[in-house]
Amino acid sequence: MNENQNKPKQEAPKNAMGEASAAKSSNGVRKLLTRKWVAPAVFMAAAAIIVTLMWIYQGADNSKETSTNETVQTEATKGGEAVKPTDKELEGIRKGEKLAWPVANVEDLQVELPFYDEAASDEDKAKAVVQMGDTFSAHLGVDLVAPDDQTFPVQAALSGKVTLVDRHPTNGNTVEISHGDGLVTVYQSLSEISVAVGDEVKQGTIIAKAGRNELERDLGVHLHFGVLSNNEAINPATAIAVK
């Protein structure tokens, strides 16, 4: 009688990590991967995961972009774009006032850079040109300076509502006041601004002090004063002279 027939069958030895099972699983995976339909299925599953991750990432970016846009809109509102008082409201604030120089006594100051007037002589036009690098442009306001190069208070030239407070990269700190009938006064190269968008100001109210800007830095401390009528620049001296 064969002794080997009576011996019980011995199982393949296993280590702690189950190497026998791992070997069987590995063989099973190899067999599975040899099937023609498996590779496309794996590819489609991977593609689906990638698309899902991209969709989630894009959604996060859109949320950030929306948040940024909301911030810009808020700043724009603070900057005055949302403040559009009616002419009737502004006429009530003005009460028949006449435009005046935005300083206590204009005789104490000097006009360093005049308004560019198309009807002026060529010599006067040449004096009213601003140079920025290699670019020359017409000066659409009047620049006032103190003889001692010191700052001075800047006043509202007419009663109205503050519709813009901004810091311009070349024109410096800027304030705009709307007065109705399409009339807006512009104050640039300011320091120590004391008004905010939406404030109602009376004629003569101190809104800031004269300062400096990058565009006209050669002038030192000065005030750039401009007048807009229906978005067109007009000569402040001419507008003030109108009685």
Side-chain angles (χ1 to χ4, degrees):
M1 187 173 183
N2 193 345
E3 294 179 359
N4 292 333
Q5 293 179 351
N6 295 330
K7 291 182 179 181
K9 295 182 179 180
Q10 296 181 356
E11 296 181 356
K14 299 180 183 179
N15 57 19
M17 297 301 293
E19 290 179 357
S21 298
K24 291 181 180 180
S25 300
S26 177
N27 291 334
V29 170
R30 290 194 193 98
K31 291 180 181 180
L32 181 63
L33 291 177
T34 58
R35 299 179 183 273
K36 295 182 180 180
W37 58 269
V38 173
V42 172
F43 174 80
M44 293 297 293
I49 294 172
I50 293 172
V51 170
T52 301
L53 292 174
M54 291 178 63
W55 180 80
I56 294 172
Y57 180 78
Q58 184 177 6
D61 281 353
N62 288 340
S63 298
K64 292 180 180 179
E65 183 178 356
T66 302
S67 176
T68 302
N69 289 338
E70 288 175 355
T71 301
V72 171
Q73 290 173 0
T74 301
E75 291 177 352
T77 302
K78 290 180 179 179
E81 294 182 8
V83 179
K84 296 180 179 179
T86 64
D87 285 345
K88 185 175 181 180
E89 176 187 358
L90 293 172
E91 286 171 4
I93 298 173
R94 285 172 58 180
K95 297 180 180 179
E97 297 170 345
K98 300 296 182 182
L99 188 68
W101 288 105
V103 291
N105 191 355
V106 71
E107 284 76 18
D108 293 339
L109 307 173
Q110 62 188 38
V111 176
E112 190 69 19
L113 196 58
F115 180 86
Y116 185 92
D117 191 342
E118 290 286 353
S121 64
D122 291 341
E123 182 179 357
D124 288 339
K125 287 181 181 180
K127 296 177 181 178
V129 173
V130 179
Q131 181 180 358
M132 185 68 174
D134 296 331
T135 304
F136 295 86
S137 58
H139 188 243
L140 302 180
V142 172
D143 286 355
L144 301 172
V145 301
D148 55 2
D149 195 37
Q150 296 299 309
T151 188
F152 51 88
V154 177
Q155 305 176 351
L158 194 66
S159 296
K161 180 168 284 190
V162 178
T163 50
L164 176 68
V165 175
D166 187 29
R167 179 173 179 79
H168 194 275
T170 57
N171 298 336
N173 293 322
T174 301
V175 170
E176 292 185 6
I177 302 176
S178 295
H179 310 284
D181 298 328
L183 186 66
V184 177
T185 51
V186 181
Y187 314 79
Q188 295 176 349
S189 186
L190 302 175
S191 66
E192 301 182 33
I193 295 175
S194 56
V195 293
V197 171
D199 286 353
E200 291 186 5
V201 294
K202 296 295 184 182
Q203 187 176 44
T205 299
I206 296 176
I207 61 173
K209 289 186 177 181
R212 303 173 184 269
N213 66 16
E214 181 64 23
L215 180 62
E216 300 163 335
R217 57 184 173 182
D218 293 342
L219 299 182
V221 177
H222 70 283
L223 166 66
H224 174 93
F225 176 57
V227 179
L228 302 176
S229 179
N230 296 318
N231 294 323
E232 287 190 17
I234 60 176
N235 192 335
T238 302
I240 291 171
V242 175
K243 300 298 182 181

